[in-house]
Amino acid sequence: MRAHVEHQRSRVRAFGPAEAKDDPFAKIRVAEAASEIDAGWLQLTRNIAAVHETAAAGRTIPLAQRVRLRRDQVRAASRAVTAIDRLFENSGASALAAGSPVQRFWRDAHAARVHVANDVEPALKSFGDVEFGGTLTGGML
């Protein structure tokens, strides 16, 4: 997010408002990306606090909490990819340069998203299995 905003502050566009930072749609995309980042971060930090609380009390993490942790973890990864995609769309062709941190962050986010730990559907299915009182089948907990 910071790399993108810094990139936009000095970027001159080929058309539209001369400076990218003055484009109202660029501002909307930045706001959308920031919201996705905040939502994912809030979920993750809430869950970390809950795990610490459970561990400090000497309790085992219950299944319902474990599937929620996985649900929120994969959703945070998806939100991060959504955010970087919005920022990348907003960055212009210069963001494709090999030395651009924006393209590197875009590539890293997409590489992380395809890791098995971030496979969305199995984690969401596990949450649904437990939520509906069914048998938990598969999924990484």
Side-chain angles (χ1 to χ4, degrees):
M1 178 78 181
R2 285 188 297 268
H4 170 75
V5 169
E6 200 55 42
H7 173 75
Q8 291 297 93
R9 282 189 179 135
S10 59
R11 183 172 158 242
V12 176
R13 297 179 50 138
F15 64 90
E19 295 184 358
K21 67 181 179 64
D22 295 329
D23 180 354
F25 302 111
K27 294 173 185 179
I28 290 168
R29 291 180 197 112
V30 165
E32 289 172 339
S35 178
E36 292 294 334
I37 292 165
D38 286 348
W41 190 248
L42 287 169
Q43 279 184 305
L44 292 175
T45 56
R46 176 198 67 187
N47 290 337
I48 291 167
V51 167
H52 281 275
E53 183 180 302
T54 302
R59 296 188 318 262
T60 302
I61 300 171
L63 182 60
Q65 185 179 7
R66 290 187 357 234
V67 295
R68 189 187 82 212
L69 293 168
R70 283 286 293 134
R71 177 203 70 192
D72 292 351
Q73 177 259 311
V74 298
R75 288 293 300 131
S78 292
R79 283 187 171 100
V81 170
T82 297
I84 191 68
D85 284 350
R86 278 311 262 161
L87 297 174
F88 196 72
E89 291 166 4
N90 204 42
S91 294
S94 62
L96 293 168
S100 165
V102 175
Q103 66 79 23
R104 187 182 76 242
F105 296 142
W106 181 89
R107 190 180 63 237
D108 291 350
H110 279 268
R113 170 54 192 87
V114 297
H115 189 279
V116 68
N118 293 316
D119 195 0
V120 176
E121 288 80 10
L124 298 182
K125 182 190 173 299
S126 293
F127 180 85
D129 285 341
V130 171
E131 216 32 43
F132 285 117
T135 304
L136 182 64
T137 57
M140 295 173 42
L141 296 180

